[in-house]
Amino acid sequence: GQQLNQSPQSMFIQEGEDVSMNCTSSSIFNTWLWYKQDPGEGPVLLIALYKAGELTSNGRLTAQFGITRKDSFLNISASIPSDVGIYFCAGQVYTDKLIFGTGTRLQVFP
Amino acid sequence: GAGVSQSPRYKVAKRGQDVALRCDPISGHVSLFWYQQALGQGPEFLTYFQNEAQLDKSGLPSDRFFAERPEGSVSTLKIQRTQQEDSAVYLCASSLDKSKHMNTEAFFGQGTRLTVV
């Protein structure tokens, strides 16, 4: 099935560092979503973006909906150990079906 | 409950056995989705319901997969004659009716991990 290109595939960072990851698509979406998934759990919604160019923050997280509507990025500032997990982007069109990215695995060292 | 509930959490099936996975969506959520997540991959869409109507089943990998939501609430994903390649986590998500609400984020359950041996 279709999956979006997400990079980097994995990141190993020190606590306190900032993190940046992005997601690209060959097709246009009208909604971009970012999820975090912990082991053995379902994805949990972090940020939802509904408009091209939109920049939205949720605490230490900031995400942007690309102007071309084919990409999005997520930044995490001042990382902490509980940020560890897998981050997925997802694009959505009017059919409501979510197309997920391949995931970015984040590891934070104290 | 407040969230999407799935059962069982874990299921081990012998190859060829039929399985049924249950999803209880968030109360009042009209849309319900099933996704399949293979190990190390992102979730992949299987099927979508709006109330009891199955509007999109384009992601179901074969005719061994069948989903229903007869009363527009609880949904069951059934896999007949399971194969090893069916081993995955099956995730259910629900959201508000998109025709009535502008922003309709999908909320996921914890998933059912199916292992076919």
Side-chain angles (χ1 to χ4, degrees):
Chain A
Q2 181 188 3
Q3 292 211 311
L4 306 178
N5 295 318
Q6 197 170 335
S7 64
Q9 193 172 20
S10 59
M11 301 184 75
F12 300 87
I13 63 168
Q14 204 146 22
E15 184 176 356
E17 289 184 1
D18 297 344
V19 171
S20 183
M21 59 190 79
N22 65 20
C23 196
T24 58
S25 168
S26 57
S27 52
I28 289 172
F29 292 110
N30 61 328
T31 301
W32 279 95
L33 303 158
W34 285 92
Y35 288 86
K36 178 174 182 273
Q37 187 173 30
D38 292 327
E41 302 291 331
V44 174
L45 182 67
L46 299 174
I47 289 182
L49 302 155
Y50 298 100
K51 191 176 174 184
E54 179 183 354
L55 186 71
T56 297
S57 293
N58 178 9
R60 295 179 295 105
L61 277 60
T62 302
Q64 184 158 30
F65 191 142
I67 290 289
T68 65
R69 296 167 62 193
K70 292 184 178 182
D71 62 344
S72 177
F73 73 75
L74 175 71
N75 286 343
I76 305 173
S77 62
S79 58
I80 59 178
S82 62
D83 290 334
V84 166
I86 303 177
Y87 291 79
F88 289 102
C89 61
Q92 188 175 34
V93 292
Y94 295 111
T95 60
D96 292 335
K97 176 171 60 179
L98 292 177
I99 308 297
F100 279 85
T102 47
T104 293
R105 185 180 297 271
L106 178 64
Q107 192 66 254
V108 179
F109 295 103
Chain B
V4 178
S5 178
Q6 290 187 247
S7 61
R9 286 292 312 277
Y10 304 93
K11 176 70 179 178
V12 178
K14 289 186 178 178
R15 193 170 58 160
Q17 188 178 354
D18 297 350
V19 298
L21 313 180
R22 177 188 169 105
C23 173
D24 281 90
I26 293 172
S27 178
H29 278 196
V30 167
S31 299
L32 186 146
F33 309 82
W34 283 98
Y35 288 83
Q36 181 190 57
Q37 187 174 22
L39 189 64
Q41 302 292 320
E44 292 195 24
F45 172 79
L46 293 176
T47 187
Y48 159 57
F49 290 86
Q50 187 167 24
N51 293 308
E52 68 277 5
Q54 190 174 18
L55 300 186
D56 187 345
K57 53 182 181 178
S58 61
L60 296 176
S62 78
D63 59 7
R64 297 186 296 103
F65 286 71
F66 172 76
E68 60 184 6
R69 195 185 184 197
E71 297 177 359
S73 178
V74 171
S75 177
T76 304
L77 176 66
K78 297 179 180 177
I79 309 173
Q80 297 176 323
R81 305 181 303 281
T82 52
Q83 304 294 316
Q84 281 191 312
E85 61 263 28
D86 299 336
S87 295
V89 174
Y90 290 86
L91 294 164
C92 177
S94 70
S95 69
L96 290 167
D97 183 355
K98 203 167 177 72
S99 68
K100 294 177 183 169
H101 302 271
M102 276 295 289
N103 302 333
T104 55
E105 300 91 345
F107 296 91
F108 283 81
Q110 292 179 299
T112 295
R113 181 177 295 278
L114 173 66
T115 303
V116 181
V117 297

